[in-house]
Each structure stands twice: as structure tokens, then as C-alpha cells.
Amino acid sequence: MNNFVLKENIDLLNTLDSGQSFAWQKIIEKENSYRGYFRNSELLVTEKDESIHVEVLNGVLEDDLKERFLYYLGEDPYSLENFNILLEDSVISPVIEKYPRLRILKQEEWECMVGFITSSCSNLERIKYHMRLLRQINNDIFPDPAKTYQIGENRLRELGFGFRAPYIINLAKSLIDEETSIDKLRRSTYEESLNSLVKIKGIGRKVADCILAYSFDKKESFPVDRHVLKGLIRWYKYPKKITPEKASDKAKKKFGNLSSHAQQYIFHRQRLASRADMWGGDHLVHAINNDIN
DNA sequence: GTCCAGGGTGAAA
DNA sequence: TTTCACCCTGGA
């Protein structure tokens, strides 16, 4: 019917459901299967036989959904220019070996911005819950800036967005008034876009870098959260009390156009390490024996 | 029951 | 540069 198959070999767990996007839920009963929203469609996405099988469950049908979803899923990292630099990095190369099919998404900009503003001092499950709520109150279509502005701060607070509510409304207003332009952010260089984004209330350096990396495809972006910061200190011997901003600058200088990908691998290595710390032992060994499924 | 951290940010000290 | 409040929820 409207379903389709993409001949792409992608690690869905670590690409869709590990913090880049807040739109996907793992299907417990099914192997390598995720349910979630892309644009205005609800999809069931399954990894099978080195391909991605997509079933359209609900929503508005778009002729070019297949092409758009293919774009959304990003590129095979091995096709990146100078990817061998990461393969030769002793911290990163074991993670690439473990997650060779990990990708960086190219998400819808507005939804991604709301998601990362919402992520502030929250956790993955709760962020996903808030994003689902926001979609549900608008007939399963993620509300655009105008609609979101109409929903208003008070309603967002009722939904549980808390102190993030005014930030989201403020951004919506800024887009409506064209003080902020998605197109302009997309066309500008990484530095220009970063400078514009951090001027918006509620978007600091970390959230701006996430938006630029996971939505605007700015490969120079290196988001540093508390986990990545720990990783940089632990494995790259960054000073113990370095600020996230300085650490991001330093990492960006080192990795250049591979920054966004390097950050993802370090993020994943730190996640494995946190688990290993809890259990005791070596995180890369544990990772191979005890991967989450 | 209290305390605290969870993909931070902005404003004041 | 450092400190602190901000919404809310789950776990110790």
C-alpha cells in the first residue's frame, strides 16, 4: 500500500531511540521495531535483512514520504570524508566497531528545537512523554509555531513543561514574527547559526549545538552535556573543571567537520561506561555481552 | 517522609 | 566566574 522499504543498513536503536530524537518508542514485543512520528505520519519502522521496512500507520500521506524519510535517516558514516580520522582515534574506534551503523538524523527543525528546549534538566522518557502530549492535543499533528503560540504558556505548564513553557512560546513568537528564520539558520554557517540560536531565551550553548547537529546537519557542532563532558575528561584528559562551552570549543577544534559524529560516539561510549561503572568492570567488554535490546 | 538528580538556562551575586 | 531558582517526577 503506502508502505515502503529502504535499502539502508541502520542501527535503529541507537539512531532513533537514544537521545537524538524524542519521537520514537521501541516496540517491546517486536525485535528492532520502533513506532513514532515523522512529519504528520505515524510510522512503524523495522530493521530487517539489512533494510528498513516502513509501515504507514496513520496520518497525512505525502507522495514524497519515502524520499523525505530517507533524508531524515542521515548518511552512512563510512561515506563521510576523512572518516578514517575517527577510525584512527583510540577512544572512538572501539565504539564505531560496536556501533558501525549509527547515524545522525536530519530532523524537522521546529520539532527538534522544541524537543531540546524540553530536554533541559529532564530525562529521555519524560521528554518523549511531553512531546507526545503536545502532539496529541493537536490531533496527532505536531503543532507548528503559530498553533503552539495559540496553545500558550499556561496550557504548556498544565501539560507539565514547567519552566520550559515560556521558552517554547517565546521561540514560537520569534518564528512567527520572523525575527528567527529556519531558512536563514539553514543557509548560514555553523558559527552564524549558533550565535543566532543562543540569543533566543531558553536556548543555551548545549541545546543550540544539539539543534544544529541533529536537525540542521551542521557537522562542526559538538554538543557537550554532562555525560559527554565526563567522557572528554575521562578519555581525552580535559581539565577536570573545564566548562561545557570550553570543552565543546576544544573538541570542535580537534574534530572539525567530524565533530557531530565524534560527539555521538563519545556520548555512546560514556553511556556504556556508566552502565559498566554500576556493574563494575570494563564497559566495552560489558557492552558486547550485555547490550540493551 | 525528605532529598536529589535528570541531555540546562538565565539572571544575579 | 560562580551560584541559584526554575517545573516535575521517580528512586534512594
Side-chain angles (χ1 to χ4, degrees):
Chain A
M1 297 241 294
N2 300 302
N3 304 333
F4 54 89
V5 177
L6 300 170
K7 295 264 174 249
E8 301 282 323
N9 193 359
I10 301 174
D11 179 348
L12 287 184
L13 171 65
N14 292 298
T15 302
L16 288 185
D17 200 24
S18 294
Q20 288 185 61
S21 164
F22 307 109
W24 302 95
Q25 287 294 129
K26 181 164 175 38
I27 306 283
I28 310 287
E29 316 84 61
K30 290 181 78 176
E31 194 75 9
N32 298 324
S33 209
Y34 299 83
R35 182 177 184 139
Y37 292 91
F38 173 65
R39 298 174 62 79
N40 295 331
S41 299
E42 186 178 13
L43 306 181
L44 180 65
V45 185
T46 305
E47 184 187 335
K48 197 166 67 182
D49 305 328
E50 301 193 351
S51 294
I52 303 300
H53 297 247
V54 181
E55 188 181 334
V56 182
L57 300 175
N58 286 299
V60 182
L61 290 177
E62 293 177 293
D63 293 338
D64 54 357
L65 186 67
K66 181 176 175 178
E67 288 70 29
R68 286 181 182 275
F69 194 64
L70 180 62
Y71 176 82
Y72 170 86
L73 289 172
E75 306 138 38
D76 177 0
Y78 282 87
S79 69
L80 292 169
E81 201 178 346
N82 297 325
F83 188 63
N84 62 306
I85 290 172
L86 298 187
L87 289 169
E88 287 160 11
D89 185 294
S90 64
V91 174
I92 290 174
S93 85
V95 196
I96 298 178
E97 215 165 287
K98 171 95 186 92
Y99 302 124
R101 304 174 302 130
L102 170 64
R103 295 196 175 189
I104 294 196
L105 297 172
K106 300 178 186 177
Q107 302 179 64
E108 295 288 294
E109 297 88 349
W110 159 248
E111 187 174 337
C112 183
M113 290 165 124
V114 176
F116 280 100
I117 290 175
T118 303
S119 76
S120 169
C121 216
S122 187
N123 58 68
L124 202 51
E125 284 313 308
R126 200 159 77 102
I127 302 160
K128 291 203 278 190
Y129 171 67
H130 287 147
M131 295 296 277
R132 270 203 307 280
L133 282 183
L134 190 50
R135 189 181 283 273
Q136 275 167 15
I137 63 162
N138 192 47
N139 300 318
D140 268 4
I141 293 172
F142 194 80
D144 64 13
K147 181 71 195 177
T148 304
Y149 186 74
Q150 196 186 326
I151 290 167
E153 178 184 335
N154 290 340
R155 190 75 203 284
L156 289 184
R157 283 187 183 269
E158 283 167 24
L159 295 176
F161 282 82
F163 60 82
R164 308 159 193 87
Y167 297 152
I168 293 166
I169 297 303
N170 175 64
L171 173 62
K173 184 81 165 70
S174 178
L175 286 163
I176 293 165
D177 295 344
E178 298 182 348
E179 287 163 19
T180 304
S181 152
I182 303 263
D183 277 346
K184 194 171 173 193
L185 288 169
R186 178 164 287 293
R187 283 195 309 270
S188 303
T189 64
Y190 163 72
E191 277 82 10
E192 287 168 344
S193 301
L194 181 68
N195 286 332
S196 305
L197 283 175
V198 295
K199 288 193 181 108
I200 299 166
K201 276 182 86 173
I203 299 182
R205 173 65 181 270
K206 188 268 171 185
V207 168
D209 267 323
C210 285
I211 293 166
L212 292 171
Y214 311 140
S215 174
F216 286 90
D217 192 30
K218 305 285 190 204
K219 298 190 194 317
E220 310 94 317
S221 166
F222 194 103
V224 175
D225 62 26
R226 52 183 85 183
H227 305 300
V228 171
L229 187 62
K230 266 197 225 168
L232 290 171
I233 293 167
R234 182 170 182 174
W235 295 302
Y236 290 99
K237 307 297 174 208
Y238 280 25
K240 282 201 171 65
K241 55 179 191 58
I242 193 170
T243 63
E245 290 78 11
K246 291 228 169 84
S248 175
D249 288 339
K250 197 167 146 84
K252 205 169 59 187
K253 211 170 201 175
K254 176 179 170 68
F255 293 109
N257 278 334
L258 294 164
S259 291
S260 62
H261 286 267
Q263 185 268 3
Q264 270 298 294
Y265 293 120
I266 293 166
F267 176 72
H268 279 268
R269 179 157 181 170
Q270 181 59 32
R271 290 177 83 218
L272 295 177
S274 300
R275 273 191 273 154
D277 285 345
M278 286 190 289
W279 302 331
D282 181 87
H283 60 285
L284 290 171
V285 174
H286 270 293
I288 290 156
N289 297 328
N290 300 298
D291 200 3
I292 315 175
N293 278 309

